[in-house]
Amino acid sequence: MHELSLSESIIALVTDCAGLEGVRHVSRVTVDIGEASAVDPQALQFCFPLLSKGTVAEGAELVINRIPLKVRCADCRAEYRPDSPIAPCPACGSHARAVLEGRELRVVSFDGA
Ligand SMILES: [Zn+2]
């Protein structure tokens, strides 16, 4: 499961940073997850507490910011947020585009003491 290894990565990163900052208990971890990142937030919420057991992040709240998909049309350069993953450009009907936002997968911050 993708979310399992993602949870491991998040916890590893937080554990490393907490160690550097002398944080002994992390109470909250905030992550950005793009809608086009193919990560299921519910699965992530499920995996995170299981994998954080015995780490500095045990019992921490996981806050997930969903970043909507935003693209730029390759033909007319219009920027838009598609209603569905296969929606064409509303200005010219083209399907050619570049993703600007929505593939985020990152730890934004964590709180602890
Ligand atoms: Zn267009």
Side-chain angles (χ1 to χ4, degrees), residues 73-78 80 89-94 96:
C73 176
D75 290 319
C76 76
R77 313 297 287 173
Y80 62 102
C89 172
C92 75
S94 171

Side-chain angles (χ1 to χ4, degrees), residues 7-78:
S7 294
E8 282 176 343
S9 304
I10 292 170
I11 291 162
L13 180 71
V14 169
T15 301
D16 285 354
C17 293
L20 288 173
E21 294 179 18
V23 172
R24 271 173 288 168
H25 179 71
V26 173
S27 56
R28 180 165 52 193
V29 178
T30 305
V31 296
D32 279 352
I33 304 291
E35 282 180 352
S37 66
V39 171
D40 178 353
Q42 283 186 317
L44 192 59
Q45 287 285 13
F46 179 77
C47 294
F48 182 78
L50 299 177
L51 291 171
S52 63
K53 278 211 175 82
T55 75
V56 72
E58 179 168 352
E61 177 192 4
L62 181 65
V63 179
I64 298 176
N65 296 326
R66 292 291 271 162
I67 310 296
L69 182 62
K70 185 180 179 186
V71 301
R72 181 192 292 124
C73 176
D75 290 319
C76 76
R77 313 297 287 173

